[in-house]
Amino acid sequence: MNVQMVTPPELRECGDCPIRYRAVCSRCEMDELARLSAMKSYKVFQPGDVLQWAGEGMEYVCSIVTGAASLSQTMEDGRRQMVGLLLPSDFVGRPGRETSPFDVTAVAETTVCRFRRRDFEMLIDESPAVSRRLLEMTMDELQAARQWMMVLGRKNAREKVASFLAVLAGRRAFLTPEKRKNDIAVDLPLTRDSIADYLGLTIETISRQFSALKKDGVIELQGARHVLVPDYDGLLMEAGDEVEQAF
């Protein structure tokens, strides 16, 4: 495992962090932010590196700063299923729980801002802002999971692919200063094979749907892992309903 201990220059000050206004620290006052800053450290994981094994002791909790990680679960017979995707600003770990129920694996080069779990739990007890934000994020995650159940269970292939892209594009737009809804550039964190696994489709179906969305002008493809969304509202229409709350 090639895990780097780093402090990226652009992240040395919390105020310059790209996820500052969406992450668990988004409601912190300056004194709370200073306390978190004193606690934090950074790690960079390469694709395939495991952030956390299911059932192992969890020494750290963390926020995804850049990149992406998958949540997956392995059955007793060895079958493995991806059950979630963590994107920038998402929180990894459950304060109050000593282990993780899922394997958390980097699917792209991923930088995390991490805190020792016990120190973070003490901060939660003492900081209403952090505990309130963590509760908000937990409720948002629950809502997103319920919406994603509908995506997987009721939508057709085109709507599934459009929903997946809408989640990525919406998150990308939210984290940019202008929060624009046109010409959103999205770097796909998953290969098409992994997208197929995540959406319960075949890789051939994924490729056909990408090509169809491109032909209809809904997206532009710029290489195998880069997508441009010219009109976010148009992509939402293709998704079949509002998926903005899924991220």
Side-chain angles (χ1 to χ4, degrees):
M1 181 185 298
N2 181 23
V3 181
Q4 304 173 39
M5 302 286 292
V6 296
T7 303
E10 67 275 17
L11 299 179
R12 287 174 183 162
E13 298 296 334
C14 289
D16 298 327
C17 180
I19 62 170
R20 167 71 177 89
Y21 296 103
R22 184 181 171 89
V24 70
C25 57
S26 63
R27 297 188 183 277
C28 287
E29 300 294 338
M30 292 306 297
D31 59 333
E32 295 169 319
L33 199 61
R35 184 173 173 184
L36 275 172
S37 183
M39 293 166 50
K40 72 182 181 184
S41 62
Y42 293 99
K43 265 194 174 183
V44 177
F45 294 85
Q46 299 303 317
D49 289 345
V50 176
L51 283 69
Q52 179 67 47
W53 289 108
E56 277 195 352
M58 189 165 50
E59 184 179 359
Y60 292 93
V61 295
C62 60
S63 292
I64 304 289
V65 180
T66 63
S70 66
L71 295 173
S72 59
Q73 199 161 26
T74 303
M75 300 176 67
E76 290 185 2
D77 61 5
R79 285 178 292 170
R80 187 177 178 87
Q81 176 64 47
M82 186 188 306
V83 297
L85 186 65
L86 299 173
L87 301 171
S89 79
D90 284 337
F91 194 73
V92 183
R94 297 284 297 275
R97 299 274 185 93
E98 294 187 358
T99 61
S100 169
F102 306 111
D103 294 332
V104 184
T105 307
V107 295
E109 183 174 278
T110 300
T111 300
V112 302
C113 177
R114 64 182 195 160
F115 314 95
R116 290 191 180 276
R117 180 175 60 84
R118 296 196 182 279
D119 292 341
F120 189 80
E121 289 172 347
M122 291 176 60
L123 179 63
I124 290 176
D125 291 338
E126 300 167 8
S127 170
V130 176
S131 60
R132 184 166 58 249
R133 177 57 183 150
L134 191 60
L135 176 60
E136 289 176 352
M137 295 176 73
T138 301
M139 298 306 295
D140 288 345
E141 183 181 344
L142 176 60
Q143 181 177 344
R146 288 170 173 168
Q147 289 183 324
W148 202 245
M149 287 175 64
M150 184 183 70
V151 170
L152 297 179
R154 294 297 180 184
K155 292 189 176 183
N156 60 38
R158 184 182 178 96
E159 290 169 337
K160 286 183 178 182
V161 172
S163 295
F164 174 74
L165 293 174
V167 169
L168 297 179
R171 178 67 64 88
R172 175 68 176 173
F174 191 96
L175 293 175
T176 56
E178 62 273 23
K179 296 180 175 57
R180 63 187 182 189
K181 288 196 172 184
N182 294 318
D183 296 327
I184 305 171
V186 177
D187 292 317
L188 298 178
L190 301 176
T191 64
R192 293 195 180 186
D193 188 44
S194 296
I195 295 172
D197 178 52
Y198 188 40
L199 297 180
L201 301 170
T202 66
I203 189 171
E204 293 80 11
T205 299
I206 293 295
S207 294
R208 284 197 299 270
Q209 295 306 323
F210 269 89
S211 296
L213 290 170
K214 176 186 176 183
K215 181 180 179 181
D216 294 340
V218 180
I219 62 173
E220 297 176 17
L221 299 179
Q222 302 175 337
R225 301 285 288 269
H226 191 77
V227 174
L228 183 69
V229 179
D231 178 7
Y232 180 66
D233 289 333
L235 179 60
L236 283 179
M237 290 181 62
E238 295 293 338
D241 63 9
E242 293 289 335
V243 296
E244 290 179 281
Q245 294 304 314
F247 50 85

